[in-house]
Amino acid sequence: MARIAGVNVPTNKRVLVALTYVHGIGLTSSKNICKKVGVAEDKRINSLSEDELTKIRDLIDTDYLVEGDLRRKTSMDIKRYLDLGCLRGLRHRKNLPVRGQRTHTNARTRKGPAKAIAGKKK
């Protein structure tokens, strides 16, 4: 197992896919990292040299906000909205969708399972 940004990335996958196992790195960021370091995207992690792995680690450490730091930043942003009392903060507080989605029929993931209303049935 190769360790990048504190995460064990799978060694038998391609570099492009394996980097997405790090929280905060998606396919686009993974492509950019491969391009900057000069590693072929279709190369496997276990076929990379130590030098290439070190370059990838250094680039991620300097240029990208990943894992714990990213999670901390996200939670601090949500706390800031809650303290401000703005609409986004109020929606977070009530566990409702924050970005303007409809809630009349959908939003079951955010609102939780449907609760039965007593006396509704006729």
Side-chain angles (χ1 to χ4, degrees):
M1 282 276 177
R3 224 170 145 72
I4 297 174
V7 176
N8 291 332
V9 294
T11 54
N12 56 345
K13 292 192 184 281
R14 296 180 313 146
V15 176
L16 192 67
V17 176
L19 287 177
T20 62
Y21 279 69
V22 178
H23 180 74
I25 296 180
L27 273 176
T28 305
S29 301
S30 182
K31 284 180 184 176
N32 291 339
I33 290 168
C34 290
K35 193 179 294 181
K36 285 179 186 175
V37 174
V39 175
E41 296 173 357
D42 58 342
K43 212 171 181 185
R44 305 273 172 180
I45 289 284
N46 54 12
S47 66
L48 290 178
S49 67
E50 271 303 316
D51 184 44
E52 290 170 328
L53 273 173
T54 307
K55 284 181 185 175
I56 291 173
R57 279 189 203 110
D58 292 341
L59 183 69
I60 289 173
D61 286 343
T62 57
D63 293 354
Y64 292 90
L65 194 64
V66 292
E67 285 300 323
D69 294 334
L70 180 61
R71 287 189 173 98
R72 193 174 309 109
K73 181 185 181 306
T74 305
S75 68
M76 290 302 293
D77 289 344
I78 292 172
K79 283 190 183 96
R80 184 169 49 89
Y81 289 132
L82 291 170
D83 292 341
L84 283 173
C86 61
L87 180 67
R88 281 179 80 171
L90 296 176
R91 303 291 283 185
H92 272 293
R93 198 174 293 151
K94 294 177 184 176
N95 279 335
L96 291 170
V98 177
R99 297 184 177 179
Q101 297 93 331
R102 69 179 290 137
T103 58
H104 178 69
T105 56
N106 293 332
R108 288 277 50 118
T109 301
R110 185 73 193 207
K111 290 166 70 175
K115 297 165 195 80
I117 300 171
K120 178 94 171 167
K121 195 173 174 184
K122 266 196 167 178

